[in-house]
Amino acid sequence: MFDRIGRYWRVLATGISFLAFGIGGLLLRIAVFPLLQVVVWERAARVTAARAILRLTFRGFVGLMRGLGVLRYEFIGLEKLERGGLLILANHPSLIDTVFLMAFVKRADCIVKSHLWNNPFTRGPVRAAGYISNDSGEQLVEACIASLRAGNNLIIFPEGTRTPAGGAISLKRGAANIAVRGARAVTPVLIDCQPPTLGKGDKWWRVPERFVQFRLEVKDDIEVGAFLGAGVSEVMAVRHLTDYLQQFFTGEYQGHA
């Protein structure tokens, strides 16, 4: 009986959390960021301020979910993300993986799906923070490299979407392309969510029978120099790095599952 009551509470608490997230996004769009537009005229300073505001907002959202008993989390190796210009790659088991990383990574930049630029709850924050749209075509890789060179920490989920229900990780080559062409080391983050929740195709109200534990572990950097040997083309380097990352994330994820 108590287990059932606890589960009903987590459904309610999850609903409250997402409602707060939506309302918060709307308030940022109609009140906070328009005011920021007036107060801070210089665009670069305005983008920096907007990203700092979003980081605090996401940290508050994570804290709300934790306080309501929806989830718990531990972040291992967080100090490794205190540097600048990092290319952060992570697996993507849950809907709120992005929120976790954006909440704890300073000067975070990310690639945003184009439909979020027109979503009434997200377009204000997304545009104010100057995130990179995934519909920028051939300029996408160059925009990512430019962001890294500017000292931003670029967060990418190389799967391109959440991991399917079976847990089979399948990486696309975009992230490796950025690493190779930008000559940038990869900082991998392994995200584990037990029991699984808010995965691809999951409804938010179908919460697990017990509270969820997130474990985020920052691994050591993976240098791209080993994939850029003499005579190796960028195309082959991207392919080899993608294969390596595929094996890395698959092995690490299965090791923690």
Side-chain angles (χ1 to χ4, degrees):
M1 178 179 177
F2 289 108
D3 290 342
R4 182 176 300 178
I5 292 174
R7 189 172 186 180
Y8 288 156
W9 166 251
R10 287 194 300 278
V11 173
L12 177 61
T14 301
I16 293 172
S17 299
F18 282 115
L19 179 62
F21 187 88
I23 293 174
L26 194 58
L27 288 175
L28 288 174
R29 177 195 167 193
I30 65 178
V32 176
F33 290 132
L35 179 61
L36 188 65
Q37 185 87 15
V38 173
V39 175
V40 184
W41 288 9
E42 204 273 318
R43 185 181 184 279
R46 190 166 62 246
V47 167
T48 299
R51 291 179 179 179
I53 291 170
L54 285 174
R55 180 171 176 262
L56 292 174
T57 302
F58 289 145
R59 183 74 71 92
F61 177 72
V62 170
L64 175 64
M65 296 192 81
R66 183 176 188 174
L68 291 174
V70 176
L71 56 81
R72 296 179 186 174
Y73 67 88
E74 61 175 334
F75 216 130
I76 302 169
L78 182 59
E79 69 279 357
K80 297 176 184 178
L81 301 182
E82 292 294 323
R83 299 165 292 165
L86 299 177
L87 176 56
I88 301 170
L89 305 187
N91 59 312
H92 200 0
S94 170
L95 178 65
I96 58 175
D97 302 329
T98 306
V99 175
F100 267 111
L101 290 177
M102 299 294 283
F104 289 95
V105 176
K106 296 177 181 177
R107 295 195 65 179
D109 197 358
C110 64
I111 299 174
V112 178
K113 293 181 179 179
S114 58
H115 72 84
L116 294 178
W117 285 75
N118 299 311
N119 184 299
F121 296 103
T122 59
R123 69 184 183 188
V126 164
R127 296 182 182 189
Y131 294 140
I132 302 168
S133 174
N134 71 346
D135 67 350
S136 54
E138 296 180 358
Q139 291 75 40
L140 177 59
V141 173
E142 293 302 325
C144 291
I145 294 173
S147 180
L148 291 167
R149 288 175 177 167
N152 297 314
N153 293 317
L154 182 63
I155 299 170
I156 297 179
F157 297 96
E159 295 172 84
T161 185
R162 279 174 282 171
T163 308
I169 295 176
S170 178
L171 271 57
K172 301 183 184 302
R173 295 184 182 179
N177 198 17
I178 295 167
V180 169
R181 290 178 56 182
R184 188 70 53 162
V186 169
T187 302
V189 177
L190 181 68
I191 303 176
D192 186 38
C193 173
Q194 296 298 332
T197 188
L198 298 174
K200 190 175 181 65
D202 287 349
K203 305 298 183 182
W204 68 264
W205 60 84
R206 291 183 177 173
V207 303
E209 295 184 359
R210 59 183 175 87
F211 70 84
V212 176
Q213 176 75 40
F214 276 86
R215 184 179 188 273
L216 300 93
E217 182 176 2
V218 186
K219 297 290 189 175
D220 293 334
D221 289 354
I222 299 172
E223 300 293 338
V224 299
F227 303 90
L228 289 169
V232 178
S233 68
E234 286 189 346
V235 173
M236 290 304 299
V238 168
R239 180 180 300 176
H240 292 158
L241 179 56
T242 302
D243 291 342
Y244 179 87
L245 292 171
Q246 173 77 38
Q247 295 175 15
F248 177 89
F249 277 108
T250 300
E252 292 289 338
Y253 183 80
Q254 290 176 347
H256 287 87

